[in-house]
Amino acid sequence: MHTILLTGGAGFIGSHLTRLFVKKYPQYKIINLDKLTYAGNLENLRDIENEANYKFVKGDITDLTLLRRLFDEHKFTAVLHCAAESHVDRSITEPLAFITTNVLGTGSLLQAAKEAWASDMDGKIFYHISTDEVYGSLGEEGLFTEETAYDPRSPYSASKASSDHIVRAFYHTYKLPVKISNCSNNYGPYHFPEKLIPLCIHNIISNKPLPIYGKGENVRDWLFVEDHVRAIDVIFHTGKIGETYNIGGHNEWTNICLVRELCRQMDEKLGRENGSSEKLITYVTDRAGHDLRYAIDATKLKDELGWLPSLQFEEGISKTIDWYLANTEWLNHVTSGDYQKYYQKQYKV
Ligand code: NAD
Ligand code: DAU
């Protein structure tokens, strides 16, 4: 039995995680604390919003007074911490928002949990959801393991690295029962169309240019979001306190090959002539400090906890495209208003 404070549940990964826990564990209570930034959207949770074991609270993880009140009111036994500013490009233009939410927000959550659990840490879990970007950039060879030294390069990854360090500091200093996972790039339904895959799906639908940074040779290791939240479930329930687990897809793609695969599948699904979407590919100025390659070694998670990704990438991408084609109303909502301003500023169009 757990009463869980889940942060950032209205975002991409958070909404999948909320759905999994609400449906799979009816005996748990899930309180979703989300500020509803541009990336948070309660439409992502429509199918579970009336479940008896689920409640939404609008609020900011940097608000320690609110956090103390919520801990007092709900007597949380666990935290699943997903809330963050998550987009690298935005961190280049607005680094302070990332430092505020990702560093100060995580610190405030840790402080509230430490105070609430001071007299009894038994059975409690503070689970911090993090990223492979904390390890920096790989060359053409090698994989990130849990022992890889941190070497973050963007304001986003530096803020996530800082938060990881602070989580570990609370474990070592105060014996707060923490767990951390560092995952590679996710994709799937409800992914906000500022990130490469949903942005390209959206632009192919609307016949707009597909902006590829630099030469398109950067490599990412893609994992279907439902596989990520399944891994979080396994680590939450069977992972060891104080440990870190890498989660990855064993699925490396250069950006250009990935976008070509998207174009191929979308031409087929939209009944367009093969090769027509590829003509939308447009090379644009590279991202500042663009990390060359990420790739995860998830052996520890497989060997110790038995987790493996379930989907082949071509199948996952096909499911993802089908979801976007079936949910154009969602896509239209999230790409109206402020999204247009962001897009013009970022891509100068
Ligand atoms: P997202 O941007 O889609 O969602 C973030 C959510 O956090 C939103 O609902 C937003 O409203 C909320 N939020 C932001 N600031 C807040 C604040 N101050 N207080 C309360 N809520 C706030 O992000 P995502 O892609 O779902 O990522 C979720 C987590 O997973 C992040 O910690 C991210 O670093 C990590 N992660 C993401 C990926 C990926 O590929 N997307 C991969 C590995 C790890
Ligand atoms: O590795 C995990 C990380 O993956 C998460 O921690 C981040 O929250 C998540 O946003 C993601 O970061 P990336 O920077 O790798 O994802 P993004 O989708 O922004 O970019 C993927 C690759 O595509 C990257 O090499 C940059 C490139 N790109 C991106 C955009 C938005 C383009 O070429 N053109 C684009 O327009």
Side-chain angles (χ1 to χ4, degrees), residues 13 85-89 130-134 156 160 183-186 191 193-200 210-214 216-222 255 258-259 284 286-287 290-292 294 342-343 346-347:
I13 297 169
E85 289 291 344
S86 71
H87 191 38
V88 174
D89 292 325
S130 194
T131 170
D132 61 356
E133 298 200 12
V134 299
Y156 163 68
K160 291 296 291 187
C183 189
S184 62
N185 286 61
N186 284 214
H191 204 184
E194 63 187 348
K195 311 278 168 63
L196 180 68
I197 289 179
L199 185 144
C200 287
L210 309 177
I212 306 294
Y213 297 158
E217 285 166 357
N218 303 67
V219 175
R220 297 293 182 263
D221 173 2
W222 293 95
N255 294 336
L258 166 59
V259 172
V284 299
D286 208 355
R287 174 183 278 174
H290 196 172
D291 288 338
L292 177 67
Y294 306 143
Y342 164 78
Y343 200 91
Q346 177 67 20
Y347 297 100

Side-chain angles (χ1 to χ4, degrees), residues 14-183:
S15 62
H16 288 274
L17 188 59
T18 306
R19 181 172 297 102
L20 176 74
F21 270 66
V22 165
K23 286 192 170 167
K24 187 169 174 188
Y25 303 107
Q27 72 278 25
Y28 291 1
K29 284 191 200 136
I30 316 293
I31 315 299
N32 169 17
L33 173 65
D34 197 299
K35 184 179 170 182
L36 299 183
T37 66
Y38 77 92
N41 182 358
L42 291 178
E43 277 182 71
N44 299 358
L45 295 162
R46 278 285 176 261
D47 55 324
I48 55 134
E49 67 187 0
N50 294 321
E51 296 295 337
N53 62 339
Y54 170 75
K55 182 179 156 67
F56 172 69
V57 177
K58 185 171 190 291
D60 193 321
I61 57 165
T62 63
D63 183 350
L64 189 53
T65 309
L66 168 69
L67 297 178
R68 285 181 174 134
R69 183 169 64 67
L70 291 175
F71 268 88
D72 191 42
E73 187 182 334
H74 296 283
K75 313 283 182 249
F76 298 121
T77 57
V79 175
L80 275 170
H81 177 32
C82 221
E85 289 291 344
S86 71
H87 191 38
V88 174
D89 292 325
R90 288 186 193 251
S91 84
I92 295 168
T93 48
E94 295 170 65
L96 290 185
F98 286 69
I99 295 164
T100 304
T101 286
N102 300 356
V103 184
L104 189 61
T106 303
S108 304
L109 277 167
L110 288 161
Q111 177 66 19
K114 171 173 102 62
E115 288 172 11
W117 297 343
S119 60
D120 182 13
M121 303 253 186
D122 204 33
K124 309 290 195 301
I125 304 171
F126 187 107
Y127 189 140
H128 176 60
I129 289 147
S130 194
T131 170
D132 61 356
E133 298 200 12
V134 299
Y135 298 122
S137 183
L138 290 165
E140 285 177 9
E141 298 289 312
L143 300 171
F144 296 133
T145 73
E146 289 81 359
E147 272 70 51
T148 303
Y150 276 30
D151 186 18
R153 313 293 183 92
S154 72
Y156 163 68
S157 55
S159 68
K160 291 296 291 187
S162 308
S163 65
D164 291 10
H165 287 316
I166 298 166
V167 171
R168 288 195 187 97
F170 270 64
Y171 170 66
H172 290 293
T173 310
Y174 309 112
K175 307 279 176 276
L176 196 79
V178 309
K179 301 182 184 190
I180 300 180
S181 56
N182 297 83
C183 189

Side-chain angles (χ1 to χ4, degrees), residues 219-269:
V219 175
R220 297 293 182 263
D221 173 2
W222 293 95
L223 179 68
F224 193 60
V225 62
E226 288 177 13
D227 276 333
H228 182 192
V229 300
R230 214 169 35 75
I232 294 173
D233 179 18
V234 170
I235 296 165
F236 181 84
H237 287 99
T238 60
K240 288 192 199 124
I241 295 294
E243 291 284 316
T244 295
Y245 298 88
N246 278 355
I247 311 172
H250 304 288
N251 179 42
E252 293 181 48
W253 287 74
T254 61
N255 294 336
I256 187 64
C257 288
L258 166 59
V259 172
R260 287 201 181 114
E261 173 63 16
L262 264 182
C263 290
R264 188 190 66 74
Q265 289 205 24
M266 287 205 59
D267 281 347
E268 225 171 84
K269 288 176 194 287

